[in-house]
Amino acid sequence: MNVIAVYFSATDTTKKNTLAVAGAFGCPVREIDVTTEGACGEAFGPEDVVVFGAPCYGGRVPKVAKARLDCFTGEHTPAVMVMTYGNRDFDDGLVEMVDMGTAHGFVPFAAAAVIGQHTFGEVAVGRPNAEDLAADAAFGRQCAEKLAAGSLKVIDVPGSRPYKDGGNGGKFRPATTDACVDCGLCAASCPTGAIGGDNRTIDDDKCISCFRCIHVCPVGAKVMDTPAYNEFAAAFSQKLAARRENQYFL
């Protein structure tokens, strides 16, 4: 059995959850990170197991992530779908992931909707934590057991068809302070190529407010600190303060 983890993860949250599930199969895991441009699709067979990971943007799979994940194909290939969301709701995102896999020759026989720290505000801070990752691993072991038992059919998950509007990302755009040292890491790491060659200009039409540039900047020069954002983030954090738990579907 070959275990492959394919994920879109702007701030490494989805990556952590996806690898925790994939690693529990008891086999070496090959990683395919499609977060930045340049990753290409691949074809998998029935001897492979693919764990797909994506975040939830407005209740949907981010459009940029969907475009890249759609490049992978299977041939009755077992798959596990992992969606990370920031404590609000995953809406139609998980059912969209299941449908994506099915449309491309995979058999999504298990799925998970797991909590990760939200990009905006102070929501689900520090998650996934050790307890979350342990639960992910326990789910991964259950997936392996289910697969070994020969139970391979598409899992039913919550969600509606047609899907709600979403997947575009947010409206907030990071700024660059004078601390910038022009290392270029932000531009190289941007999932949509939204940051210009000057490492400061952001293409409003391309930016999806994933805040990856803030996350990777080694000197803290990328910031999101405007009155409009701070007001929104404070209200958003209060609204989503109640703890939510991971959900696993087998």
Side-chain angles (χ1 to χ4, degrees):
M1 178 171 61
N2 306 309
V3 180
I4 304 97
V6 181
Y7 54 82
F8 180 98
S9 185
T11 58
D12 290 340
T13 303
T14 298
K15 175 181 177 179
K16 292 175 184 176
N17 286 313
T18 305
L19 292 181
V21 173
F25 275 79
C27 301
V29 177
R30 180 162 68 93
E31 296 181 45
I32 302 178
D33 185 349
V34 301
T35 309
T36 54
E37 294 179 300
C40 56
E42 189 173 331
F44 300 104
E47 72 284 356
D48 299 315
V49 179
V50 182
V51 181
F52 287 100
C56 185
Y57 280 19
R60 295 282 303 278
V61 178
K63 291 182 179 179
V64 62
K66 183 180 186 305
R68 293 172 189 170
L69 295 176
D70 274 343
C71 294
F72 294 87
T73 60
E75 183 182 343
H76 201 66
T77 305
V80 180
M81 303 312 207
V82 178
M83 170 156 275
T84 301
Y85 71 105
N87 218 45
R88 186 192 65 80
D89 203 331
F90 54 93
D91 296 311
D92 301 332
L94 194 59
V95 73
E96 183 180 14
M97 286 190 75
V98 169
D99 289 347
M100 286 166 54
T102 303
H104 292 288
F106 296 93
V107 183
F109 71 97
V114 292
I115 303 297
Q117 183 167 337
H118 203 289
T119 301
F120 302 153
E122 298 292 317
V123 179
V125 175
R127 298 185 71 184
N129 55 28
E131 182 181 353
D132 292 318
L133 296 176
D136 289 345
F139 168 68
R141 289 190 292 272
Q142 290 179 308
C143 290
E145 292 170 1
K146 182 176 181 179
L147 187 59
S151 180
L152 193 62
K153 63 179 182 179
V154 177
I155 192 73
D156 288 326
V157 297
S160 301
R161 302 178 182 92
Y163 317 128
K164 65 173 291 185
D165 290 336
N168 296 308
K171 62 182 180 180
F172 301 107
R173 303 293 181 255
T176 307
T177 72
D178 291 339
C180 178
V181 294
D182 286 314
C183 68
L185 186 59
C186 59
S189 301
C190 180
T192 60
I195 301 176
D198 62 356
N199 300 315
R200 291 162 177 77
T201 304
I202 294 181
D203 188 323
D204 191 64
D205 293 330
K206 290 183 178 181
C207 180
I208 57 174
S209 300
C210 69
F211 293 179
R212 182 175 174 86
C213 55
I214 296 175
H215 183 74
V216 303
C217 181
V219 295
K222 281 286 188 291
V223 297
M224 189 65 249
D225 186 19
T226 65
Y229 172 75
N230 291 335
E231 181 179 352
F232 167 84
F236 192 67
S237 300
Q238 184 176 10
K239 181 180 179 180
L240 301 183
R243 178 183 173 89
R244 296 194 66 168
E245 302 299 335
N246 303 325
Q247 296 182 59
Y248 301 103
F249 305 93
L250 276 167

